[in-house]
Each structure stands twice: as C-alpha cells, then as structure tokens.
C-alpha cells in the first residue's frame, strides 16, 4: 500500500518551512550512503506511532504582490487537493486572519479530503486567544502550534495520522501494473501516453466512481492490465500554467509513491536536467522499477555513435540507476513506442522476482571466492548466508559477523554478482546486513 501524502499549504511567511524542518529534523533519518542521489527538501518521510507518511512543503511563493500571492496560493492548494491524502492549512496566529486565508479556505472546504487547520506562532499559552477568529474559515477547530518552540506538534501529528483512512490505498487488482509517467513539462508525456493508448489492441477501461479513477487511466492490452497513475494534469490539456517546476515535482513525487514502474521521460533535445535527476532519484530511493524514455528522438541529428554517446551521458547523470533500461522513442513518428509497454511488463516482472535461497548462496559463495570480503585490523568480514526477504523492490538480508567491516564498494560488488546471475533489470535492489548472534 502506498504511503499517505500530507501537504502543507499556506501564505508565505506563516512558518511552513520552519514547521517542515522541525518535523524533518526530529524524525528523519537520511540515508546518506547512496552516492549521487540528491535529496530534495520539499518532501520528507515521517514516522509517527508506527504510521509512515510523506510530508510535502508546497511553499516558496515569491511575495511580489497580493494578486500574485493569491493566484499562486490557489494553485498550490489545487495541487494539494489533487495529490495529497491529508491537507494541512497553516495560518499565522500572530498576524491574524487575512482575506487570502479566506479565499484558500473556500477552495479547501469544497474538497472531501481531510483538511486540518493549523494556527502557527502560538508561542505561549497566553496567545491562544488569537485562534478564535479562525473558526470563521469553516474548516473546523483550529489547532494551535508553535513551530519555533515545538509546541503542539505531537497533537498535530496525532491528528494527521487519525485522518488516514484505511482505504487510502489503491484498490486496483494485484495484477494491474501501476505506471507513473514523470518528467518535466513539455517533454512529451501526454504525447507518449496518448500514442500508447492509441495503439492497436490497447483498450482504455471505463471504470468511474472513486476519486482515484478520475485522475488515473486504466487500460488493457490483450491479457495485460495497466494503469497510468495521475494522468489528470498530463492528459487534460486545459490546465492553466502548470509549468511551475515545483508543482510538477510535487505531482511526480506523489505519482511515484503510488506506482510500481516509473517512466522517466527525458527530452532528447535537452538531455538530463537537474529536475530529472531529482525525480529519478526519488523513484530509486522509493524502490520503484524505472525505465528511462528519451523522447523526441526524431528531432535529433544522428551520427554513427549518437545513441551510445547519449547512453553514456544518461548513465553518468543518473549514475544511481544503472539498472534502468533506456528507450529512444518518438511519440511523433511512433518509433519504438510499442516497446514501452513490453518493457514495462518486463521490468514489472523483474521487480517481483524472487530467488531461491539455495541458488542465492551458491552465487554469494562464488563471489566471495573470487573476491575476498574486506578486512580491518586483521579481522575479515564473514558472510554466513543471505536470503531474499521481499519483492517489489527486491530486498536481501545478509547475515554477517560484524557490520563495522562492511563496505559500500563490497556491497556494490555483491549486488552486481546478484544482477549478473538473476537479472533484476529495471529495479533497484537493497541489501541489508544483520549480525548473526547479535540481539536482532
Ligand atoms: N514566533 C514565531 N515565529 C515563527 C514560528 N514559525 C515560524 N516563524 C517565523 O516566521 C517567519 C517565516 O517562516 P517560514 O518558515 O520561512 O515561513 P514559510 O511559510 O515557509 O514561508 P515561505 O517559504 O515564504 O512560504 C520566520 O521568520 C520564522 O522564524 C513560530 O512558531 N513562532
Ligand atoms: N519532435 C517531437 N516533438 C514532440 C514529440 N513528443 C511530443 N512533442 C512535442 O512536444 C510538445 C510537448 O508535448 P506534450 O506531450 O504536451 O508534453 P508534456 O510532457 O505532456 O507536457 P506538460 O503537459 O506541459 O507536462 C508538443 O508540442 C509536442 O508536439 C516527439 O516525439 N517529437
């Protein structure tokens, strides 16, 4: 089941970033040992009372003029309404109620998503009188917090996890492959989706009802079932100016969260951009299968080595996902478009691949003979045995003598040996170590 997404919206300066950093600083444990993966501070993974969720800061509005602030706030709220499971609407208890708070509240009241009204900057008990005005917003009881002093944060986290509904997960069939099509504005996401949907034997399903269906596109090809996740902003072209980079990143993050396979679409005429690196890094960290789709291949002047040169550049920029297949396509000429669904099906199977413990240990044994594990001060890392503990993504646990003796490069070596033997194409694999005889 995908993790719920919680989005914070509110006027500039109400304290969204302060709140976000406070929550992140306390509870986040950043995995720093993955080289090349950029961490984007607009989201953080939060764990509270055994509930995990992704917190997104939609902030960063430039306070140029009241008009601009208001229109940007509306857009921000719209993105939150469409993508989040719970929305935190943050207002400023020091400044009091403003007209733009009213406007945004009007939008938020219309959604059936849970909205929590939070009054920030209530730094001491005697300020609590400031919160009564906010009842007018019609969003229920305001919750007083002080992000700076850390007051009320526990209560707020309780409220948030209370609002997660049991059915916030997707109720698609087990065998329907969930695909997120991600990439910067204008790379050709909707052209690719529409070309695939227009292919022979592709039938767009017609199930209406839940909110999810309104934004997703389920379809079948022969026996195979797929769904493109969060196509609302992609296929419907009426969306006004969705080109603010940050919103497109937020959309991508929430789509990745719900998907199994990510199509990372890159514009051949532009190459890999910083935003692609960020978003692809997120797909990797979240353990999703990925395919790199280089679109607009028709628009490139080709020489003998163009594809190789391109491949090198992509491998270099997205160095943390050497496992991802690269497809050079053109939505315009339909070149290699049929390969997209084939590859999706393929990597989805790889993502769910489970290897037998016996065979795995034969491979590990051979790998160890070929290249001795690292040692330190005369003690050598011993790997007793390994086993695959999960699929989607594949996770392995290796039982060892001493975690201190493990080394990133040796883990990478073992990962490569596993890939050589079993494939796991298109999917990250994760290796964890446990000390045998320890208290775990
Ligand atoms: N007194 C008080 N000040 C706060 C509190 N939280 C934030 N602030 C202050 O409010 C100002 C704005 O905080 P930010 O966290 O940058 O606000 P923001 O909502 O993220 O603003 P944007 O990034 O522009 O959207 C800063 O000067 C903070 O120190 C609080 O709980 N109490
Ligand atoms: N030459 C060429 N142009 C393409 C191709 N695919 C898309 N385009 C053009 O690129 C532009 C953007 O395509 P869209 O499909 O709207 O891109 P998008 O990624 O969905 O864009 P947003 O909705 O803004 O995120 C359009 O003008 C398309 O005609 C392609 O394969 N070759």
């Amino acid at each position: 089941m995908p993790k719920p997404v919680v989005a914070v919206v509110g006027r500039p300066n109400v304290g969204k970033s302060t709140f976000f950093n406070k929550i992140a600083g306390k509870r986040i444990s950043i995995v720093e040992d993955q080289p090349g993966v950029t961490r984007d501070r607009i989201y953080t993974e939060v764990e509270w009372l055994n509930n995990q969720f992704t917190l997104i800061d939609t902030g960063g509005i430039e306070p140029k003029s009241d008009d601009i602030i208001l229109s940007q706030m509306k857009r921000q709220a719209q993105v939150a309404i469409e993508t989040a499971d719970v929305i935190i609407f943050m207002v400023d208890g020091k400044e009091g109620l403003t007209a733009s708070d009213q406007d945004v509240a009007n939008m938020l009241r219309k959604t059936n998503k849970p909205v929590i009204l939070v009054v920030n900057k209530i730094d001491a008990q005697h300020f609590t009188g400031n919160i009564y005005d906010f009842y007018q917003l019609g969003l229920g009881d305001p919750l007083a917090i002080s992000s700076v002093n850390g007051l009320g944060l526990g209560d707020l986290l309780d409220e948030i996890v209370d609002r997660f509904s049991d059915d916030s997960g997707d109720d698609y069939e087990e065998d329907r492959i969930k695909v997120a099509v991600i990439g910067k504005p204008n790379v050709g996401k909707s052209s690719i989706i529409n070309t695939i949907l227009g292919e022979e034997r592709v039938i767009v399903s017609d199930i209406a009802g839940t909110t999810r269906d309104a934004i997703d596109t389920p379809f079948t090809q022969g026996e195979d079932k797929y769904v493109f996740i969060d196509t609302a902003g992609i296929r419907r072209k009426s969306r006004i100016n969705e080109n603010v980079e940050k919103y497109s990143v937020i959309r991508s993050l929430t789509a990745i969260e719900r998907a199994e396979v990510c199509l990372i679409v890159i514009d051949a005429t532009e190459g890999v951009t910083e935003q692609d690196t960020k978003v692809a890094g997120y797909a990797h960290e979240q353990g999703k299968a990925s395919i790199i789709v280089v679109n607009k291949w028709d628009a490139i002047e080709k020489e003998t080595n163009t594809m190789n040169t391109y491949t090198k550049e992509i491998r270099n920029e997205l160095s943390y996902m050497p496992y991802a297949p690269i497809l050079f396509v053109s939505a315009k000429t339909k070149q290699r478009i049929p390969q997209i669904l084939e590859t999706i099906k393929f990597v989805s199977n790889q993502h769910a691949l489970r290897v037998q413990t016996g065979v795995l240990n034969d491979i590990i044994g051979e790998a160890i003979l070929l290249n001795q594990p690292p040692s330190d001060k005369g003690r050598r890392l011993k790997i007793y045995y390994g086993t695959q503990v999960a699929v989607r993504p594949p996770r392995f646990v290796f039982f060892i003598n001493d975690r201190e003796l493990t080394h990133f490069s040796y883990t990478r070596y073992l990962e490569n040996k596993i890939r050589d033997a079993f494939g796991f194409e298109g999917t990250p694999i994760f290796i964890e170590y446990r000390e045998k005889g320890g208290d775990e």
Side-chain angles (χ1 to χ4, degrees):
M1 200 169 104
K3 263 180 267 162
V5 170
V6 179
V8 189
V9 302
R11 262 187 304 123
N13 239 23
V14 296
K16 295 182 299 299
S17 309
T18 310
F19 167 75
F20 184 83
N21 289 333
K22 198 84 177 183
I23 299 278
K26 247 198 230 150
R27 286 160 238 285
I28 200 174
S29 58
I30 302 178
V31 189
E32 296 280 15
D33 61 354
Q34 304 211 348
V37 179
T38 25
R39 269 280 166 181
D40 186 348
R41 298 306 302 173
I42 73 168
Y43 70 90
T44 176
E45 306 296 336
V46 182
E47 190 173 331
W48 180 251
L49 306 174
N50 289 325
N51 288 277
Q52 289 186 338
F53 63 91
T54 304
L55 182 68
I56 289 180
D57 176 12
T58 62
I61 291 175
E62 295 287 321
K64 284 187 193 125
S65 75
D66 284 355
D67 284 359
I68 294 176
I69 291 178
L70 184 58
S71 71
Q72 292 207 13
M73 274 179 74
K74 285 185 170 167
R75 204 187 297 162
Q76 190 187 66
Q78 193 56 40
V79 173
I81 287 170
E82 286 174 21
T83 59
D85 296 291
V86 174
I87 299 161
I88 297 177
F89 180 36
M90 188 172 283
V91 293
D92 187 329
K94 263 171 127 177
E95 181 139 338
L97 188 60
T98 69
S100 50
D101 289 338
Q102 288 278 15
D103 283 322
V104 175
N106 291 343
M107 283 179 73
L108 294 177
R109 267 204 314 273
K110 288 187 196 125
T111 167
N112 48 17
K113 300 265 173 88
V115 178
I116 304 175
L117 174 60
V118 173
V119 186
N120 189 34
K121 310 196 186 177
I122 305 297
D123 299 338
Q125 193 61 35
H126 63 270
F127 291 148
T128 46
N130 296 9
I131 73 175
Y132 294 106
D133 258 3
F134 294 104
Y135 275 95
Q136 291 173 45
L137 294 176
L139 289 168
D141 294 338
L143 203 77
I145 67 165
S146 164
S147 296
V148 161
N149 294 345
L151 296 173
L153 296 186
D155 289 346
L156 174 54
L157 286 163
D158 284 347
E159 287 280 331
I160 293 171
V161 301
D162 267 359
R163 310 291 169 100
F164 295 151
S165 65
D166 295 333
D167 59 32
S168 67
D170 297 305
D171 43 13
Y172 294 114
E173 313 89 303
E174 273 273 301
D175 58 346
R176 190 177 285 278
I177 306 174
K178 291 181 267 177
V179 185
V181 182
I182 56 186
K184 285 195 325 157
N186 230 33
V187 293
K189 296 181 296 298
S190 72
S191 305
I192 289 175
I193 291 175
N194 290 327
T195 311
I196 291 176
L197 297 180
E199 276 180 69
E200 242 183 300
R201 293 177 54 238
V202 173
I203 297 166
V204 179
S205 322
D206 183 24
I207 15 173
T210 73
T211 9
R212 291 295 197 207
D213 295 334
I215 62 169
D216 296 344
T217 308
F219 62 100
T220 56
Q221 186 198 47
E223 299 280 289
D224 304 316
K225 295 184 252 181
Y226 304 85
V227 54
F228 283 134
I229 295 290
D230 191 9
T231 38
I234 307 178
R235 292 187 70 206
R236 213 193 318 124
K237 279 290 156 186
S238 55
R239 183 170 308 283
I240 23 122
N241 282 330
E242 178 80 359
N243 59 2
V244 174
E245 188 172 297
K246 189 156 186 176
Y247 300 138
S248 109
V249 172
I250 291 174
R251 260 187 198 291
S252 306
L253 297 186
T254 55
I256 291 169
E257 197 90 64
R258 295 178 53 223
E260 284 155 8
V261 179
C262 300
L263 295 190
I264 296 157
V265 185
I266 287 162
D267 187 331
T269 62
E270 271 190 72
V272 179
T273 66
E274 201 188 321
Q275 186 179 335
D276 299 323
T277 320
K278 262 185 214 164
V279 172
Y282 190 69
H284 170 79
E285 285 170 13
Q286 291 292 303
K288 308 300 179 169
S290 288
I291 302 168
I292 299 162
V293 179
V294 183
N295 188 37
K296 308 196 187 178
W297 196 239
D298 61 282
I300 291 287
E301 288 225 16
K302 285 159 210 95
E303 289 157 26
T304 343
N305 272 323
T306 312
M307 219 182 251
N308 283 341
T309 315
Y310 240 88
T311 303
K312 270 196 203 121
E313 189 196 312
I314 290 170
R315 291 296 179 216
N316 192 27
E317 299 277 345
L318 305 177
S319 61
Y320 45 84
M321 50 168 64
Y323 50 79
I326 304 177
L327 296 178
F328 296 90
V329 310
S330 163
K332 192 172 168 192
T333 67
K334 304 198 175 161
Q335 190 188 16
R336 282 186 286 271
I337 291 289
Q339 279 185 25
I340 297 180
L341 283 188
E342 278 167 36
T343 313
I344 290 173
K345 195 173 154 183
F346 173 68
V347 300
S348 170
N349 284 328
Q350 297 281 301
H351 197 221
L353 193 65
R354 193 184 283 279
V355 302
Q356 299 288 328
T357 302
V359 194
L360 175 67
N361 284 288
D362 290 347
I363 298 297
I364 298 172
E366 270 171 41
I368 292 173
L369 281 182
L370 226 63
N371 181 4
Q372 285 275 301
S375 63
D376 184 34
K377 301 191 190 80
R379 291 190 65 226
R380 189 171 292 283
L381 173 68
K382 280 205 189 79
I383 302 175
Y384 302 113
Y385 69 101
T387 185
Q388 185 177 354
V389 294
V391 296
R392 291 200 186 287
R395 281 184 198 281
F396 295 85
V397 169
F398 285 10
F399 292 88
I400 56 165
N401 58 337
D402 185 352
R403 197 177 270 114
E404 297 276 301
L405 295 170
T406 63
H407 193 272
F408 180 79
S409 61
Y410 200 72
T411 307
R412 171 70 62 83
Y413 166 71
L414 293 173
E415 176 181 335
N416 287 337
K417 286 292 170 192
I418 292 175
R419 289 186 184 280
D420 289 347
F422 306 107
F424 290 110
E425 246 178 278
T427 169
I429 65 182
F430 298 105
I431 295 175
E432 289 159 31
Y433 293 104
R434 291 233 178 106
E435 289 176 10
K436 211 179 154 193
D439 47 15
E440 287 176 302

